[in-house]
Amino acid sequence: MFLIGGAFTALAADLDGSFDDFEGNTIVGWGWDSSLPNTGVPVTVTITNKETGEQVKSFHQPAVTYRSDLEENGIGNGRHGFRINMNWDALADGAYVVEGTVDGKALSNPKTYVKGETAQTTAENNSTEESHEHTGLKSLGFFRTTGYCPCKQCSEGWGRRTSTGSIAKSSHTIAVDPRIIPYGSKVMINGIIYTAEDRGGGVKGNHVDIFFDTHAQTRQHGKQTQEVFLVLG
Protein backbone atom coordinates (compact mmCIF):
# COMPACT_ATOMS: atom_id res chain seq x y z
CA MET A 1 0.00 0.00 0.00
CA PHE A 2 1.22 3.49 -0.79
CA LEU A 3 0.17 7.10 -1.29
CA ILE A 4 -0.18 9.24 -4.37
CA GLY A 5 -0.19 13.03 -3.96
CA GLY A 6 -3.13 15.00 -5.32
CA ALA A 7 -3.35 18.25 -7.23
CA PHE A 8 -2.92 21.57 -5.47
CA THR A 9 -5.87 23.91 -5.10
CA ALA A 10 -5.63 27.63 -4.37
CA LEU A 11 -7.05 28.57 -0.97
CA ALA A 12 -8.54 31.75 0.41
CA ALA A 13 -5.77 34.09 1.58
CA ASP A 14 -6.71 33.86 5.27
CA LEU A 15 -7.05 30.07 5.45
CA ASP A 16 -4.24 27.61 4.92
CA GLY A 17 -3.76 23.90 5.34
CA SER A 18 -2.18 20.83 3.85
CA PHE A 19 -1.80 17.09 4.21
CA ASP A 20 1.70 15.79 4.94
CA ASP A 21 3.02 12.35 4.04
CA PHE A 22 1.09 9.76 6.00
CA GLU A 23 2.75 7.90 8.86
CA GLY A 24 1.57 4.30 8.65
CA ASN A 25 -2.11 4.37 9.65
CA THR A 26 -1.93 8.01 10.76
CA ILE A 27 -3.21 10.84 8.57
CA VAL A 28 -1.05 13.88 9.28
CA GLY A 29 -1.61 17.51 8.31
CA TRP A 30 -2.18 21.04 9.52
CA GLY A 31 -4.65 23.89 9.17
CA TRP A 32 -5.03 27.45 10.48
CA ASP A 33 -6.72 30.80 10.01
CA SER A 34 -4.10 33.56 9.77
CA SER A 35 -6.63 36.14 11.00
CA LEU A 36 -6.79 34.11 14.25
CA PRO A 37 -3.17 32.92 14.31
CA ASN A 38 -3.22 31.26 17.74
CA THR A 39 -6.69 29.69 17.57
CA GLY A 40 -7.37 26.09 16.58
CA VAL A 41 -9.71 25.66 13.62
CA PRO A 42 -12.02 22.71 12.85
CA VAL A 43 -10.77 20.15 10.34
CA THR A 44 -12.85 17.55 8.50
CA VAL A 45 -11.21 14.62 6.73
CA THR A 46 -13.23 12.31 4.49
CA ILE A 47 -12.25 9.02 2.86
CA THR A 48 -14.02 7.97 -0.33
CA ASN A 49 -13.80 4.82 -2.40
CA LYS A 50 -12.33 6.06 -5.68
CA GLU A 51 -14.13 3.47 -7.82
CA THR A 52 -17.61 3.62 -6.29
CA GLY A 53 -17.67 7.18 -4.98
CA GLU A 54 -18.92 5.92 -1.60
CA GLN A 55 -17.74 7.87 1.45
CA VAL A 56 -16.47 5.20 3.85
CA LYS A 57 -15.20 7.35 6.72
CA SER A 58 -15.36 10.90 8.04
CA PHE A 59 -13.40 12.54 10.86
CA HIS A 60 -14.04 15.88 12.59
CA GLN A 61 -11.57 17.45 15.02
CA PRO A 62 -9.76 20.73 15.74
CA ALA A 63 -6.22 21.25 14.45
CA VAL A 64 -4.47 21.92 17.78
CA THR A 65 -1.44 19.59 17.88
CA TYR A 66 1.84 21.44 18.39
CA ARG A 67 4.46 21.18 15.62
CA SER A 68 7.76 23.02 15.87
CA ASP A 69 8.11 23.15 12.07
CA LEU A 70 4.88 25.12 11.81
CA GLU A 71 5.95 27.65 14.43
CA GLU A 72 9.39 28.00 12.84
CA ASN A 73 7.71 28.83 9.52
CA GLY A 74 5.47 31.52 10.98
CA ILE A 75 2.26 29.50 11.26
CA GLY A 76 0.86 30.99 14.47
CA ASN A 77 2.00 29.39 17.71
CA GLY A 78 2.58 26.06 15.97
CA ARG A 79 -0.49 24.45 17.56
CA HIS A 80 -2.22 23.83 14.25
CA GLY A 81 -1.41 20.23 13.40
CA PHE A 82 -3.72 17.23 13.34
CA ARG A 83 -3.15 13.47 13.51
CA ILE A 84 -5.95 11.06 12.67
CA ASN A 85 -5.70 7.30 13.16
CA MET A 86 -7.33 5.35 10.32
CA ASN A 87 -7.91 1.59 10.37
CA TRP A 88 -7.23 0.79 6.71
CA ASP A 89 -7.45 -2.94 7.46
CA ALA A 90 -11.21 -2.53 7.92
CA LEU A 91 -11.60 -1.50 4.27
CA ALA A 92 -11.70 -3.68 1.16
CA ASP A 93 -8.77 -3.58 -1.27
CA GLY A 94 -8.87 -0.61 -3.61
CA ALA A 95 -7.99 3.05 -4.02
CA TYR A 96 -9.34 5.63 -1.57
CA VAL A 97 -9.36 9.41 -1.94
CA VAL A 98 -8.47 11.29 1.25
CA GLU A 99 -9.76 14.88 1.26
CA GLY A 100 -10.02 17.53 3.92
CA THR A 101 -11.36 20.96 4.76
CA VAL A 102 -10.17 23.67 7.15
CA ASP A 103 -13.22 25.47 8.54
CA GLY A 104 -15.05 24.54 5.33
CA LYS A 105 -12.22 25.46 2.90
CA ALA A 106 -10.53 22.63 0.98
CA LEU A 107 -7.10 21.45 2.04
CA SER A 108 -4.60 22.06 -0.72
CA ASN A 109 -3.49 18.55 -1.61
CA PRO A 110 -5.89 15.58 -1.47
CA LYS A 111 -4.21 12.17 -1.31
CA THR A 112 -4.95 8.72 -2.66
CA TYR A 113 -4.37 5.66 -0.46
CA VAL A 114 -4.03 2.35 -2.29
CA LYS A 115 -4.67 -0.90 -0.41
CA GLY A 116 -4.00 -4.41 -1.71
CA GLU A 117 -1.52 -5.88 -4.18
CA THR A 118 -3.89 -5.85 -7.17
CA ALA A 119 -4.91 -2.25 -6.57
CA GLN A 120 -1.27 -1.28 -6.02
CA THR A 121 -0.20 -2.89 -9.32
CA THR A 122 -2.97 -1.01 -11.14
CA ALA A 123 -1.97 2.27 -9.54
CA GLU A 124 1.71 1.68 -10.36
CA ASN A 125 0.79 0.99 -14.00
CA ASN A 126 -1.29 4.18 -14.09
CA SER A 127 1.59 6.09 -12.53
CA THR A 128 3.96 4.73 -15.18
CA GLU A 129 1.55 5.72 -17.95
CA GLU A 130 1.28 9.22 -16.47
CA SER A 131 5.07 9.55 -16.35
CA HIS A 132 5.22 8.61 -20.03
CA GLU A 133 2.60 11.24 -20.80
CA HIS A 134 4.74 13.84 -19.06
CA THR A 135 7.56 13.42 -21.55
CA GLY A 136 5.94 16.04 -23.80
CA LEU A 137 7.15 19.63 -23.46
CA LYS A 138 5.88 22.92 -24.85
CA SER A 139 8.02 26.02 -24.79
CA LEU A 140 6.41 28.98 -23.01
CA GLY A 141 9.22 31.24 -24.14
CA PHE A 142 12.02 32.95 -22.25
CA PHE A 143 11.34 34.14 -18.69
CA ARG A 144 13.28 36.15 -16.16
CA THR A 145 14.12 33.80 -13.29
CA THR A 146 15.03 34.84 -9.77
CA GLY A 147 15.30 32.97 -6.48
CA TYR A 148 13.83 33.19 -3.00
CA CYS A 149 14.16 31.29 0.28
CA PRO A 150 12.39 31.05 3.69
CA CYS A 151 14.31 33.99 5.23
CA LYS A 152 12.38 37.13 6.23
CA GLN A 153 14.14 39.18 3.57
CA CYS A 154 12.83 36.90 0.82
CA SER A 155 9.52 35.63 2.18
CA GLU A 156 8.39 38.62 4.27
CA GLY A 157 7.51 36.33 7.16
CA TRP A 158 5.78 33.62 5.12
CA GLY A 159 8.70 31.21 5.52
CA ARG A 160 7.97 28.03 3.60
CA ARG A 161 4.23 28.66 3.40
CA THR A 162 2.93 29.22 -0.11
CA SER A 163 -0.16 30.95 -1.43
CA THR A 164 -1.71 27.55 -2.26
CA GLY A 165 -1.23 26.21 1.28
CA SER A 166 1.61 23.80 0.51
CA ILE A 167 5.03 23.84 2.15
CA ALA A 168 7.67 25.06 -0.29
CA LYS A 169 10.47 22.67 -1.25
CA SER A 170 13.66 23.24 -3.21
CA SER A 171 13.85 21.75 -6.73
CA HIS A 172 10.05 21.67 -6.64
CA THR A 173 8.34 24.98 -5.79
CA ILE A 174 8.16 28.08 -7.97
CA ALA A 175 6.28 31.34 -7.60
CA VAL A 176 4.51 32.51 -10.73
CA ASP A 177 2.02 34.97 -12.11
CA PRO A 178 -1.01 32.61 -12.22
CA ARG A 179 -2.42 34.55 -15.16
CA ILE A 180 0.59 33.31 -17.16
CA ILE A 181 1.30 29.94 -15.49
CA PRO A 182 -1.75 28.60 -13.59
CA TYR A 183 -1.31 27.10 -10.11
CA GLY A 184 -0.57 23.39 -10.25
CA SER A 185 1.19 23.57 -13.61
CA LYS A 186 4.42 21.63 -13.97
CA VAL A 187 7.18 23.36 -15.87
CA MET A 188 10.76 22.44 -16.69
CA ILE A 189 13.56 24.96 -16.24
CA ASN A 190 17.15 23.96 -16.95
CA GLY A 191 16.23 20.26 -16.77
CA ILE A 192 14.39 20.45 -13.42
CA ILE A 193 10.61 19.99 -13.22
CA TYR A 194 8.92 22.45 -10.84
CA THR A 195 5.33 22.91 -9.67
CA ALA A 196 3.69 26.34 -9.71
CA GLU A 197 2.31 26.65 -6.17
CA ASP A 198 3.24 30.14 -5.00
CA ARG A 199 3.20 33.76 -6.07
CA GLY A 200 4.89 36.95 -4.93
CA GLY A 201 4.07 40.62 -5.11
CA GLY A 202 6.91 41.22 -7.55
CA VAL A 203 6.24 38.19 -9.73
CA LYS A 204 4.37 39.46 -12.77
CA GLY A 205 4.25 38.43 -16.41
CA ASN A 206 7.10 36.32 -17.76
CA HIS A 207 8.84 36.01 -14.40
CA VAL A 208 9.44 32.86 -12.34
CA ASP A 209 10.78 32.93 -8.77
CA ILE A 210 12.49 29.63 -7.86
CA PHE A 211 12.45 28.43 -4.24
CA PHE A 212 15.78 27.55 -2.58
CA ASP A 213 16.55 26.31 0.92
CA THR A 214 19.11 28.99 1.77
CA HIS A 215 19.74 32.65 1.00
CA ALA A 216 23.22 31.76 -0.28
CA GLN A 217 21.66 29.56 -2.97
CA THR A 218 19.24 32.35 -3.81
CA ARG A 219 22.07 34.84 -4.27
CA GLN A 220 24.04 32.33 -6.31
CA HIS A 221 21.14 31.98 -8.75
CA GLY A 222 20.76 35.75 -9.06
CA LYS A 223 18.79 36.99 -12.06
CA GLN A 224 18.82 34.94 -15.22
CA THR A 225 16.92 34.59 -18.48
CA GLN A 226 15.92 31.01 -19.17
CA GLU A 227 13.56 29.14 -21.46
CA VAL A 228 10.55 27.69 -19.59
CA PHE A 229 8.80 24.54 -20.84
CA LEU A 230 5.30 23.43 -19.89
CA VAL A 231 5.21 19.72 -19.03
CA LEU A 232 2.29 18.27 -21.00
CA GLY A 233 -0.04 15.52 -19.82
Side-chain angles (χ1 to χ4, degrees), residues 80-93:
H80 303 290
F82 63 83
R83 299 177 65 86
I84 296 172
N85 292 322
M86 173 61 198
N87 181 15
W88 296 105
D89 292 338
L91 301 181
D93 288 356

Side-chain angles (χ1 to χ4, degrees), residues 155 182 221:
S155 68
H221 177 85

Side-chain angles (χ1 to χ4, degrees), residues 189-206:
I189 304 171
N190 197 27
I192 299 175
I193 294 179
Y194 298 92
T195 301
E197 54 189 22
D198 202 5
R199 71 169 302 167
V203 180
K204 293 182 173 62
N206 285 20

Side-chain angles (χ1 to χ4, degrees), residues 9-201:
T9 304
L11 300 177
D14 60 341
L15 284 166
D16 283 314
S18 180
F19 286 116
D20 298 323
D21 290 336
F22 293 5
E23 298 176 4
N25 289 338
T26 304
I27 301 171
V28 183
W30 62 275
W32 82 313
D33 182 341
S34 60
S35 65
L36 299 169
N38 296 320
T39 301
V41 294
V43 171
T44 297
V45 173
T46 59
I47 299 172
T48 305
N49 185 302
K50 191 171 184 178
E51 182 177 355
T52 66
E54 176 191 5
Q55 185 180 114
V56 297
K57 199 72 176 177
S58 180
F59 301 91
H60 307 273
Q61 68 177 62
V64 293
T65 299
Y66 176 74
R67 285 174 42 174
S68 59
D69 63 321
L70 297 180
E71 185 174 21
E72 290 168 1
N73 285 290
I75 300 175
N77 57 10
R79 299 186 181 279
H80 303 290
F82 63 83
R83 299 177 65 86
I84 296 172
N85 292 322
M86 173 61 198
N87 181 15
W88 296 105
D89 292 338
L91 301 181
D93 288 356
Y96 295 88
V97 179
V98 183
E99 298 174 291
T101 61
V102 180
D103 202 17
K105 301 292 184 180
L107 287 176
S108 61
N109 56 335
K111 300 279 188 177
T112 298
Y113 187 97
V114 180
K115 181 189 175 189
E117 292 183 3
T118 301
Q120 180 170 339
T121 300
T122 300
E124 287 174 343
N125 289 339
N126 289 341
S127 179
T128 301
E129 291 173 3
E130 288 175 2
S131 67
H132 289 164
E133 290 174 359
H134 286 171
T135 58
L137 300 173
K138 175 185 176 182
S139 176
L140 298 178
F142 286 87
F143 283 60
R144 180 167 66 96
T145 65
T146 53
Y148 72 112
C149 73
C151 78
K152 289 186 178 180
Q153 179 180 343
C154 287
S155 68
E156 299 180 345
W158 282 78
R160 289 180 179 269
R161 289 187 297 119
T162 68
S163 58
T164 61
S166 62
I167 300 297
K169 299 183 289 292
S170 63
S171 299
H172 174 82
T173 299
I174 54 173
V176 299
D177 182 339
R179 297 171 301 177
I180 306 299
I181 300 177
Y183 287 135
S185 299
K186 294 186 181 298
V187 301
M188 188 174 75
I189 304 171
N190 197 27
I192 299 175
I193 294 179
Y194 298 92
T195 301
E197 54 189 22
D198 202 5
R199 71 169 302 167

Side-chain angles (χ1 to χ4, degrees), residues 212-227:
F212 294 95
D213 286 323
T214 68
H215 196 66
Q217 292 171 324
T218 297
R219 294 182 63 184
Q220 183 178 8
H221 177 85
K223 297 178 181 179
Q224 302 182 28
T225 300
Q226 295 176 293
E227 190 169 11

